[in-house]
Every structure is written in structure tokens, then in C-alpha cells.
Amino acid sequence: MKPVLSWGRINDKYCNVVRADYFADPNLLTIAESSDNGMLLAHGMGRSYGDSGLNKGGVIFQTTRQNHILDFDTQTGIIKARAGITLEEILRVSVPQGWFLPVTPGTKYVTLGGAVANDVHGKNHHKVGSLGAHIMRLSLTRSDRKTVICSPRTQKKLFNMTIGGLGLTGFINWVEFKLKPIESSYLETENIPYTSLDEFFSLSEESAKWPYTVAWIDCFAPKSKQGRGIFTRAKFSNYGALDIHRDDHIATWPFVTPALFLNRFSITAFNFLYRWRPGARMKGRSHYDSFFYPLDGINHWNRLYGKAGFFQHQSLIPLERSKEGIGDLLDIIKESKQGSFLAVLKLHGPEYSPGTMSFCRPGKGVSLALDFANKGQKTRQLLERLDACVLKHNGRTYPAKDGRMSAQTFQTAFPQWTKLEAMRDPKFSSSFWRRVSQTTS
Amino acid sequence: MPKPNNQDANSLLVLGGTSAVALAYARLRASEGKPIILVGRNSDKLKLNQADLAARTKKPVDIHVCDLSDTAILDKNWNAVTSMGHNISEVFLAYGLLGDQLKTQKDSQKFLASLNTNFVSAAMWAEKAFDHFAYKGSGQITVIGSVAGDRGRQSNYHYGTAKGALEIFCDGMAHRAARFKGAKINILLVKPGFIDTPMTDHLDKGGLLWASPEKIAKITLKAVFRGKRKIYAPWFWRFILLLIRMTPRFAFHKTGL
Ligand SMILES: Cc1cc2nc3c(=O)[nH]c(=O)nc-3n(C[C@H](O)[C@H](O)[C@H](O)COP(=O)(O)OP(=O)(O)OC[C@H]3O[C@@H](n4cnc5c(N)ncnc54)[C@H](O)[C@@H]3O)c2cc1C
């Protein structure tokens, strides 16, 4: 047993870490038996912020050595790869052939298995849905039956439950999905500063045809300018080279920064910089690496928040309640004086992914992602208030970014959780799951 | 039946195609579009690596399944590999077996087998490659050695001896290559320190001394590009081994290394 930290550096759980062999499919029963509680959980790059990738007292089975590409048809863009491969590695291979990920989260250092287990979404959600919408087949090994290949046609229920299934339906061996054709690695971008939530909505509407849209917002804006920020929209350019991202990090964050650094002042300053960064009004061109993965340039940027770590909070509020809901959330943050270093607002479209538990189901809405330095009780109280506000507006909080939401919050937002519990592999569990599946009164 | 499909492209021949460092190195080469031949014993594992590399290089990736350490049929295996229709320009020799010295000390047949794997057969393959490149006019031979070959230590001198001998062998080949008129053959010996592979998972790998197979592969490729003859990977092992070699015997013998 050793302590394992998740990305937010708060949830520290003693787990028995077992690393996969390069080749062999794991023997799940033997692996599970090697732990105190007899439970196991697959673990990719550990980029989930809270405890959904941790398993206190149990095994976490580290998959990253199982990173073979099994097949890649450069004509159709269909790729089949083992679940431990990172999206970074897939890009390395696919981009020179003119193919890009159909959907990508804000970091390329996640595994394919992890991306499926959280059914990740990206800046193009309004157009193409979550990753699950692009998956054709996957192979799943369970402790209680033989390995099965699931697709929208065969083993449909298991397929739908595995996509966004938080790693609980078994071990994903490989995934087959369809990439998106690109003619260059560069995107044409437009950054548009705007000054109110209303403007955010009108810009989103106006940009409906743009494949990628997102907004950075300033949590400290005065009430009259609430929601102001920079709206970014982009599309892949049809000219330019098919260059892959650079090999190494530009820098490594060398030490754990004292939390002082991120006091209210620096956060405001940061938001101000984002608000007025040079060229904010200009059209530009950007490589996919700097456009999709700005934080990947700094290895271990999560140490920036100091020893106490930090929380993420991402919520999705249905469209009809979103203006009011986002406004309320921003009010709560402002009142708390615990501004968010990076606050990201995004209009979501209908969900095309079949994932039963997918965060972005049931579809159209607005999501708000926030980071908070951990200041103990005060921060936890703020997060509780945010949760309550999200529920009030019929929204939900994203498990991939959570390490603390209450069982009640989770169960209210994801009433279908009982179906996942019923289909869960009896040997699989996580710290997150044990917490949120508790009986509530 | 030879299939003359890649006479124009320069192929990489990997001896020990299931080793982690070899796969990482072959991936780097595959991304440059090299055709590849993988040789190794386990055909299931080789096939997985073959599929992966084929997805990366647009050129053929072939496998040859055999026991590399079987010196009796080594010539036959060499012939099989060289008649697969590839134009081999680089040989990457990565196989080896750390072994358990407590066993090889007790069982001389096991000891012999380990010497055969880590030195005798390896040198024979390297010699074959040298001849091949001498005839062709050029080539690169890259051999994965070990820091264990730098000084005999009680805990693993069986392995160390083989790797040390391999180093002397590479030195000799490099000398011979240097005096060769008309052919340009480069021999690189890589001496990695601790590598993070499943073979070493039972150890605690917290320290800075551990390197991933990918890192060793990157360092190796860079050294190949620069025409280096001998490197430690990563570089700091050079100084660690310098210290180890310089430690006077009376002090060294007090350690349990
Ligand atoms: C900077 C940053 C930006 C992000 N941006 C986004 C974003 O824009 N959109 C978004 O949706 N998410 C985003 N995320 C979250 C991230 O994409 C998810 O947490 C993702 O699941 C992490 O993958 P991982 O490989 O690190 O998995 P881990 O965190 O290690 O594990 C996540 C889950 O996957 C399961 N799992 C992993 N491998 C397997 C397998 N082989 N079989 C079965 N289950 C498996 C685990 O059990 C666990 O439940 C971001 C994270 C960071 C750090």
C-alpha cells in the first residue's frame, strides 16, 4: 500500500498499486485478491482531479504500459488501440496522417481508457457530443464473465454503461473509434472580449457553426458585467503543415508553491491578464497543442496551488435554466472571495454519446468549470453551496473533477446510478463510488 | 521466398523485439517511416509489437520468431532474416536476461546458458551484422550493454561478465570498422542504468536513478544520429560508474553491492 495523489493533490488514498505488463491481459481476480478490501480499479494517467480514479484499501491497476496501437486505417481514420495509450501518443501517430481526435479534453496526457470511463467532452461538444459518440467497439474484461466485445449493436447495455461508467463495469482492453480528418495542425482562431452573460449567449449562438467554442471568464467582474470574459472560437485551417506537438514540456513546475501565491489579488490579476492579453481582439492562428492544451506546456502545473492542493468544480446546467443558474453560481463565488484561477464557460449541444452515465447527458446546456485553491473548510463550504445551486437549477456536477460531493448530490443528479451499480463488476470499486453510492436518508 | 519489397528503404533489424527499450526505439524509427524486422521468441508478443509499429510506419513490419540465443542455428536464423526482402541498414541488439545469480552459481548449465544469451550469441549476431554491412558498404550496429559490465560485483558478476565482454567485443569491432577502407560502419554501445520495466517492478522506484524505456530509446537515437561509439544512459551513470571503478578494492569489498 502506498499513498496515491490524484490531480488535485487533495485526495490521497492508500492504494495497492499494481502495474500492467506490456503484453498480457490482466488476471483480474488475482490482482483484486492482492489488496485489503479485495477490490480493484483501473487507473490511467491519474488526471481525474478527485477520487474517481482512487481506491482506498484496494488495488489500482495502472494501465499505461498497455499502449499498443492494434490497427489504424489511414483511409477511413478508424483506429483501434489498447486502453492504456495516451491521447498524446495517438496524436503523435495520427496527425502526420491527417487525422485528429474526434473529441479531446483540455489535456492530452490522459489515457484512452480514462477518456472513455468519463466519456470526456471538449470544445466541440455543441457539434459532435462527447467521445462516446465516436466509439465503434470496445473490449471489456470482467471478473465474472469472459471478455466481451461491446458495440452499439452487440452487448449494447454494457457498451452504454461502460461509456462514462467511471471504470466500474470492468477493465477496458481496447477501444476502436473514428478520428476526424484535418488538413493541417493549425487552427484559425478568433478571440472576442465580451462584457456580460447575455453577450456570451449571443456570441455562442452566432458561433453555432464554429466547430470549437469556449469562453474564459472573470470571476471578479462587477455584477453589472457579470460573466464577462474572452470568447474563443476556432476551426481547423485547411492549409498548413501536419506538424505534431513538441516533444517535451516547455518547463516543469519544480516545487510545490506556497498557497499564498494564489491569493485573491493574484487571481484577479490573472483574470485581468486573460481579459486584456495582447491580441485578444485579433484573429489568429494557433497550433492544436497551444489551442487545446495550454496547460500541458508546464509539467506538474498542479503543484502551483501549493501543498494543500486544489479543487475543481464543473457543473452543467440545462439550457433553459442556464442564464439564471450561471448567474447564481457566479454570485456565490464572488461573495466567497475565493475566485477561480481559470473559469471556463461553454455551451453544450445535444448529447450524441450513448453513455448512460455520461456527464453531458441529457444535453443542451451550459457548463462552468472552476479551480479553487484548497483553503480547508471555507472552500468545502463554498463547493457545497455551488452543488446546492447546481441542483436547484436541475444541473449536475462532473465526477471526473470531484472528490467531495455528497451522496445525495450525486444521486439526485444521476438517478440512473442504480443501473450502474447493478451492472458494476463485483470486483471493481473506487473511493468515489463508495462515497456517492452510500444510502441517503 | 524473398519478397523484394523494400530494397529502396533502409530497414531496422531489431534483435530482441519484445524488449521494452527495443519497442520504444523501434517506435521512434517507425515514426520516421522505416521498415522494420522484429526478431524474438514469443510470437504473440511480437505480433502485438508488429501491429503497433505497422500503424506508425507506412512501411512493412515483419517478424521472425526464433530463439536468439540458440547458437547452433544462428546462421540459419541470420539467413532467414536477411532473405526477407529488406535492405537492412541498422541492427539494434537489445535482448538479454538479467537472470538470478544465486541460481547460475549453483547450476553451471544455467550459467552457460546465461553466458550464451548475454554474450556468445549476441557477439555472433553482431559479427554477422558487421560482415553484412562491410559487404554493403555501411551500417549502424547498436548494442544495449549494461553498467553491470564496468566492474565485477559479488551480486551479479555472471551477468556483468557477459556485458563486460560484450563491451570489449564492441570496442574491437569499432577499431576494425575505423580501419576499414570503403565501408562506413558505426558501432554504438549503450550502457543504461536502472530501467523501469516489469522485470524491476518489485523494487521501489522512487529515486531519480530510474529511467523509462522511452527515455533510454530517445537518448540512444540521439547518440546514433551523432555517430557516438559509447554512451551511458542517462549520462550521469558515467560518473556513478567512475566512482565505482575508482573505489579501492579494500573499500569496495566491504560493500554488499
Ligand atoms: C488539465 C485538465 C483538463 C481537463 N479537461 C477536460 C475536459 O475538457 N473535458 C473532460 O471531459 N475532462 C477533462 N479533464 C478530465 C480528464 O479528461 C478525465 O479525468 C480523464 O478521465 C482522465 O483520464 P486518465 O487516463 O488520467 O484516467 P484516471 O484519472 O487515471 O482514471 C479515470 C477513470 O477512468 C477509469 N479507467 C482508466 N483506464 C481504464 C480502463 N482501461 N478500463 C476501465 N476503466 C478505466 C478509472 O477507473 C477512473 O474511473 C481534464 C483534466 C485535466 C487535468
Side-chain angles (χ1 to χ4, degrees), chain A residues 19 65 67-69 89, chain B residues 27 49 52 56 196 198 201:
Chain A
R19 291 175 65 186
R65 279 192 188 132
N67 59 9
H68 289 87
I69 297 173
E89 190 73 16
Chain B
R27 280 174 171 169
N49 285 356
D52 180 83
R56 295 165 193 259
D196 174 15
D201 272 354

Side-chain angles (χ1 to χ4, degrees), chain B residues 14-90:
Chain B
V14 181
L15 305 174
T18 58
S19 111
V21 174
L23 176 61
Y25 186 82
R27 280 174 171 169
L28 295 176
R29 284 305 207 181
S31 68
E32 297 167 4
K34 276 207 170 208
I36 295 166
I37 309 171
L38 299 174
V39 186
R41 201 165 36 182
N42 185 318
S43 81
D44 288 344
K45 294 181 182 180
L46 282 178
K47 279 181 192 153
L48 261 179
N49 285 356
Q50 178 187 30
D52 180 83
L53 294 168
R56 295 165 193 259
T57 171
K58 299 281 81 62
K59 302 283 167 31
V61 178
D62 292 307
I63 59 176
H64 177 72
V65 182
C66 72
D67 180 352
L68 282 153
S69 64
D70 189 342
T71 52
I73 54 164
L74 191 141
D75 286 15
K76 194 177 129 232
N77 281 323
W78 174 260
N79 291 338
V81 165
T82 45
S83 49
M84 292 175 102
H86 284 259
N87 176 5
I88 299 166
S89 67
E90 179 177 7

Side-chain angles (χ1 to χ4, degrees), chain A residues 7 41-49 52-54 63 83-84 104-107 109-123 140 162 165-168 170-173 295-296 301 314 359 398 400-401 428 430:
Chain A
W7 195 246
L41 182 74
H43 185 85
M45 289 290 282
R47 253 46 177 200
S48 298
Y49 285 81
S52 66
L54 300 179
T63 64
T104 178
T107 170
Y109 297 114
V110 303
T111 61
L112 185 52
V116 172
N118 278 316
D119 195 8
V120 298
H121 60 274
K123 297 184 170 84
L140 193 71
T162 299
L166 302 170
L168 299 170
F171 175 73
I172 305 169
N173 293 300
L295 290 169
D296 282 354
W301 62 265
Q314 184 174 3
F359 167 64
Y398 192 8
K401 307 210 167 165
F428 277 64
S430 65

